[in-house]
Amino acid sequence: MSASPVYLDAATAAPMHPVARQALLAALDDGWADPGKLYTQARRARQLLDAAREAVAQTLGVRADELSFTPSGTTAAHGAVLGGLAGRRRVGSTLVHSAIEHSAVLHAAERHVAAGGDAHPVPVDRLGRLDLTAWSDAVRGPGVALAALITASHEVGTVQPVAEAAAACADAGVPLYVDAAQSVGRVPLPAGWSVLTASAHKWGGPPGVGLLAVRKGTRWESPWPADEREGGRTPGSVNLPAVVAAAASLRAAAADAAAEETRLAPLVDRIRARVAAEVPDVEVVGDPVLRLPHLVTFSCLYVDGEALLHALDRRGFAVSSGSSCTSSTLRPSHVLEAMGVLSHGNVRVSLHRETTEADVERFLAELPGIVAGLRAEAGVVGL
Amino acid sequence: MPDEVLDCRGQRCPLPVIAAARRMPEVPVGTVVRVLADDPAAAVDIPAWCRMRGQEFVAAITGPDGPAYDIRRAH
Ligand SMILES: Cc1ncc(COP(=O)(O)O)c(C=O)c1O
């Protein structure tokens, strides 16, 4: 295979930032001891952990003691949801959430429902934007313990009206949890939330580091067995070298975020326009304007999503898909379903700091032929 | 009641959508075709196809034959 690899799946995992690699290697030498102990090696580890926490807290605009490092974005989301519900169980047992939350949030919601609680999903429109009227009505309902809203869709990129949703929550006295995995390190964070989570491998940090921030005064109670580490919010010893690398790369990503947004957003505009113009029968989905700078999703009519991923992979392109045939459950993406847009033949392209204009041009040059080839093979040309 | 039934049970998406797209131009305008499709993606993709092609999505029903989708040829 002669095609050079073009990695376009940053929304799953961005290539590691060089700063993360450097910090990781240094911390492997220097930060392997348990930061909780009372000897020299431990004190060094403690310094590294404290500095990492301080740096990340500063970038997020939170206090260091409001922030915990978790083993992933998924466990952070589980803790955010279940802990937010546990902390307010005397108020009620209803979780309000958008229909397009990440599966980590939805799986925590399922756990809550299985234990006798309620979950109230709020719909989105065709562009994947929260229905604010339905949201406001839902959070004002009786017994709402927590509301959960993703800052921007990980599948279609649509930025959510977090400020307005937060105002509705404040009026109703309901704490708001935001899953900011696709925003942290890329775009400014919205205000008005009580609990926030993120994931380091989305911004160029290593996999296996999540963030959980719980604002002072929020009634949040750890849903896990007791453990005093990380403010009592997440059990187990932290992967300190990875945490150090996550913190260093977040600082670097945040410093470059505005410039990267300026560089990547027009490339996404170009993909949106050219795919719509040059691939017949394609639906480019998500909000064209109120969107993440680095992510675009489209669906190709009559094309099998799995076949499309394989065909792209053979030409060196790594992308993701929300089509049912590409998921282990064989169900279409709940996000595309909630939006009511075509789910088969779906491709998500997400860019990162190493993505060049030439990469995007090669993708755009090859895609129409790849789709046409699959359609010809399936005998669906002209339908 | 539909005018005819297209049995796509056991087929995975996009096959039920392709079957509908093949059949609709062959029936007279106004005809209602019922697509039987148990692939969960059909619930999303058949209405989306109707929207993209300007055909009328009448309803999704669950009958004795499982999930089904009625489409009326609009043009
Ligand atoms: C919006 C969102 N939330 C949560 C997660 C989970 O993060 P992690 O991969 O670190 O478990 C992801 C990544 O898949 C995500 O995109």
Side-chain angles (χ1 to χ4, degrees):
Chain A
M1 192 45 43
S2 58
S4 61
V6 174
Y7 182 81
L8 298 172
D9 196 18
T12 296
M16 216 187 291
H17 196 290
V19 159
R21 172 184 297 276
Q22 276 169 20
L24 183 62
L25 291 174
L28 284 173
D29 288 333
D30 220 14
W32 45 266
D34 185 328
K37 299 294 176 184
L38 299 174
Y39 34 71
T40 307
Q41 297 87 336
R43 277 191 292 279
R44 178 63 189 138
R46 168 58 60 188
Q47 280 169 356
L48 288 173
L49 181 56
D50 289 347
R53 195 183 318 282
E54 199 55 59
V56 173
Q58 225 172 56
T59 303
L60 298 184
V62 302
R63 293 164 39 156
D65 62 357
E66 294 173 328
L67 177 68
S68 303
F69 294 108
T70 71
S72 67
T74 297
T75 46
H78 291 167
V81 169
L82 297 176
L85 290 166
R88 298 221 331 140
R89 64 177 163 263
R90 274 172 295 279
V91 177
S93 67
T94 298
L95 169 69
V96 170
H97 63 83
S98 85
I100 60 161
E101 293 305 301
H102 188 266
S103 56
V105 171
L106 297 183
H107 288 149
E110 282 165 22
R111 164 65 63 93
H112 174 64
V113 170
D118 291 308
H120 183 141
V122 175
V124 296
D125 64 14
R126 175 82 28 88
L127 295 177
R129 202 169 152 85
L130 184 73
D131 179 339
L132 270 173
T133 309
W135 173 272
S136 304
D137 289 346
V139 296
R140 246 186 267 119
V144 177
L146 180 71
L149 180 60
I150 194 163
T151 52
S153 171
H154 59 300
E155 287 205 29
V156 302
T158 302
V159 169
Q160 299 304 313
V162 176
E164 293 88 336
C169 287
D171 276 349
V174 171
L176 175 66
Y177 155 50
V178 294
D179 175 352
Q182 294 297 339
S183 300
V184 168
R186 290 193 182 273
V187 290
L189 290 180
W193 50 267
S194 297
V195 181
L196 173 144
T197 63
S199 166
H201 66 152
K202 314 295 184 186
W203 71 65
V209 179
L211 305 180
L212 169 63
V214 179
R215 289 283 197 197
K216 276 276 165 304
T218 305
R219 276 157 69 193
W220 185 93
E221 198 175 287
S222 171
W224 316 116
D227 190 317
E228 74 283 5
R229 288 168 284 202
E230 290 303 302
R233 286 182 285 255
T234 180
S237 31
V238 296
N239 180 348
L240 184 54
V243 162
V244 169
S249 55
L250 178 57
R251 209 202 305 247
D256 289 347
E260 278 296 273
E261 177 167 6
T262 305
R263 190 177 76 83
L264 297 180
L267 290 177
V268 164
D269 279 334
R270 190 185 305 188
I271 297 172
R272 294 186 70 96
R274 292 263 300 276
V275 167
E278 294 171 15
V279 180
D281 288 326
V282 75
E283 191 165 47
V284 181
V285 303
D287 197 306
V289 179
L290 297 173
R291 60 166 177 80
L292 289 167
H294 66 298
L295 193 161
V296 47
T297 303
F298 53 87
S299 297
C300 306
L301 194 58
Y302 309 138
V303 173
D304 180 280
E306 189 176 13
L308 183 50
L309 289 203
H310 287 314
L312 286 167
D313 181 48
R314 279 194 296 277
R315 295 298 306 150
F317 299 108
V319 299
S320 190
S321 173
S323 296
S324 54
C325 47
T326 67
S327 84
S328 55
T329 58
L330 295 180
R331 291 199 60 86
S333 139
H334 65 277
V335 176
L336 301 176
E337 189 173 1
M339 294 165 66
V341 296
L342 199 66
S343 80
H344 66 248
N346 179 258
V347 169
R348 179 186 72 182
V349 171
S350 48
L351 317 181
H352 50 88
R353 53 182 295 285
E354 292 175 13
T355 306
T356 63
E357 185 178 2
D359 292 341
V360 169
E361 277 302 321
R362 185 159 87 76
F363 177 76
L364 289 172
E366 295 204 26
L367 179 73
I370 291 170
V371 172
L374 291 170
R375 283 179 173 151
E377 248 170 63
V380 296
V381 177
L383 275 189
Chain B
M1 276 316 279
D3 300 300
E4 69 169 68
V5 173
L6 207 54
D7 189 350
C8 300
R9 285 174 294 178
Q11 297 179 13
R12 277 171 49 185
C13 256
L15 295 178
V17 176
I18 292 171
R22 284 217 168 91
R23 185 63 190 138
M24 292 315 284
E26 298 169 352
V27 302
V29 171
T31 303
V32 174
V33 174
R34 174 165 295 178
V35 184
L36 303 181
D38 46 17
D39 185 302
V44 186
D45 289 353
I46 290 178
W49 178 83
C50 290
R51 181 168 47 72
M52 290 171 82
R53 283 289 183 261
Q55 301 296 354
E56 186 189 343
F57 182 73
V58 181
I61 43 254
T62 302
D65 300 317
Y69 308 90
D70 285 356
I71 308 171
R72 179 179 286 113
R73 181 169 174 192
H75 60 86

